[in-house]
Amino acid sequence: SSSSSSSTTTTTSSTTIATNMRALDLGAGAGMSTQTLWNLGYRDIVAVDQSREAWDTYVASQPPTVKFFHLTDEEFLEAFHQQQQYQKQQQGDRCQDDYPSDCLNFGYERFDAVVVNFAINPKKGEELSRKLLKPNGRLLAPVNNIPDYWFEQNFLLYDCKGRVLSKNVDFLFQPDVTDGSCQGIWCARKLIDRY
């Protein structure tokens, strides 16, 4: 069955985005990338960060359609998967308000856009794209040039099948601190080993 829905569009100098499109900001930090998504016309935004300190310090207010969750990316993915499974057990696409208490209510629908704000390995970029994106969705992330080498990344743009659509080269980002191979000053395991 098909349904029609009205959508509003926002035009910026470089692009037009339907305001009913959904975005995910992984590693939202102080909310700068979330604000950029909002400025591009996204109105349904899920912002996720393992620390809420920067968000609480720098985000004075937020629209009700922008939701922040204090989670690691791995915790978010697990909760997102649980909500998808719960919705499949219910009546398909009909939204339910009675989520199980162990699920966070950030919705179960996939995303039109995902922005990752920390370095990840290539395999994780492919997996996130396949798990999180709608059919025409895009994921942008700084990806290690060499797996587990956290000192040089490329910005990669993925499609929903985990294919790389474009690449910008040579950046350095904070690494995925949840990855066991994490190296550098950001990685808690390395800090503990030094003491």
Side-chain angles (χ1 to χ4, degrees):
S1 76
S2 67
S3 64
S4 65
S5 65
S6 68
S7 71
T8 328
T9 59
T10 298
T11 304
T12 65
S13 60
S14 61
T15 187
T16 300
I17 296 175
T19 54
N20 64 344
M21 295 179 78
R22 184 170 159 84
L24 171 63
D25 187 4
L26 281 178
M32 293 300 295
S33 48
T34 308
Q35 180 67 51
T36 300
L37 289 165
W38 181 268
N39 292 346
L40 287 170
Y42 292 94
R43 295 299 179 256
D44 181 2
I45 302 173
V46 174
V48 176
D49 201 281
Q50 69 176 1
S51 170
R52 68 172 307 121
E53 183 177 346
W55 186 271
D56 289 346
T57 301
Y58 296 104
V59 179
S61 66
Q62 65 198 52
T65 59
V66 174
K67 297 189 173 35
F68 176 82
F69 294 95
H70 179 205
L71 300 167
T72 68
D73 62 314
E74 299 297 329
E75 292 166 338
F76 170 81
L77 287 171
E78 178 60 30
F80 182 75
H81 176 73
Q82 287 177 9
Q83 283 193 344
Q84 284 185 317
Q85 296 306 310
Y86 178 75
Q87 290 301 323
K88 286 178 185 178
Q89 292 171 0
Q90 298 303 311
Q91 297 180 347
D93 291 338
R94 198 165 60 98
C95 185
Q96 303 288 323
D97 291 329
D98 57 341
Y99 289 101
S101 60
D102 60 342
C103 287
L104 297 169
N105 189 0
F106 44 68
Y108 67 96
E109 292 179 25
R110 290 175 179 244
F111 298 89
D112 298 287
V114 175
V115 177
V116 180
N117 295 294
F118 50 88
I120 58 175
N121 276 314
K123 183 178 177 184
K124 187 166 191 169
E126 295 165 10
E127 290 171 357
L128 290 173
S129 299
R130 287 193 296 268
K131 290 177 181 179
L132 295 172
L133 292 175
K134 290 181 180 179
N136 292 318
R138 298 292 182 259
L139 180 140
L140 180 65
V143 178
N144 293 332
N145 290 342
I146 301 167
D148 299 332
Y149 181 73
W150 299 96
F151 301 103
E152 186 176 84
Q153 292 84 35
N154 291 319
F155 260 118
L156 300 183
L157 183 67
Y158 290 92
D159 69 7
C160 68
K161 295 182 180 179
R163 296 179 298 208
V164 175
L165 301 176
S166 73
K167 170 172 131 174
N168 289 327
V169 296
D170 297 332
F171 293 91
L172 178 62
F173 268 75
Q174 175 179 336
D176 176 1
V177 297
T178 63
D179 192 299
S181 67
C182 182
Q183 303 167 10
I185 61 171
W186 302 282
C187 305
R189 181 176 47 102
K190 299 295 180 185
L191 290 174
I192 292 169
D193 291 346
R194 290 195 324 210
Y195 295 104

